[in-house]
Amino acid sequence: MREFFPTKGVLPMENAHIASLQAKHAGLDARIAEEERRPNPDTAVLSDLKKRKLRLKEEMAAAH
């Protein structure tokens, strides 16, 4: 998994929080890819997953 933000100089607790957010972000990415591979992807599900992924990305950016 590629890190979106550097963690150098971040306190250990913040680093753990960011790592947790990154793991959730990667999990949503995988779920989005899985849904998109379906013959008839559910657009409502995709929309929800993408919104959740964006919120996580924004939270990671705010954590820095």
Side-chain angles (χ1 to χ4, degrees), residues 2 10 13 15 19 25-27 32 37 45-46 50 53 64:
R2 185 179 147 247
V10 178
M13 189 65 158
N15 196 19
H25 189 272
I32 289 167
R37 283 191 298 269
V45 169
L46 279 173
K50 288 178 180 183
K53 182 179 164 187
H64 280 64

Side-chain angles (χ1 to χ4, degrees), residues 3-15:
E3 283 193 40
F4 292 99
F5 304 99
T7 56
K8 186 175 183 179
V10 178
L11 297 174
M13 189 65 158
E14 290 173 352
N15 196 19

Side-chain angles (χ1 to χ4, degrees), residues 21-45:
L21 293 174
Q22 289 172 334
K24 289 177 185 178
H25 189 272
L28 287 171
D29 217 15
R31 290 177 62 192
I32 289 167
E34 182 180 324
E35 185 65 33
E36 288 176 335
R37 283 191 298 269
R38 291 180 49 187
N40 293 310
D42 186 328
T43 56
V45 169

Side-chain angles (χ1 to χ4, degrees), residues 1 16-26 56 59-61 63:
M1 177 179 86
H17 179 65
I18 293 168
S20 172
L21 293 174
Q22 289 172 334
K24 289 177 185 178
H25 189 272
L56 284 173
E59 190 175 344
M60 285 187 286

Side-chain angles (χ1 to χ4, degrees), residues 48 50-60:
D48 178 60
K50 288 178 180 183
K51 286 176 187 176
R52 291 169 53 194
K53 182 179 164 187
L54 179 59
R55 281 194 297 272
L56 284 173
K57 185 175 180 180
E58 291 169 347
E59 190 175 344
M60 285 187 286

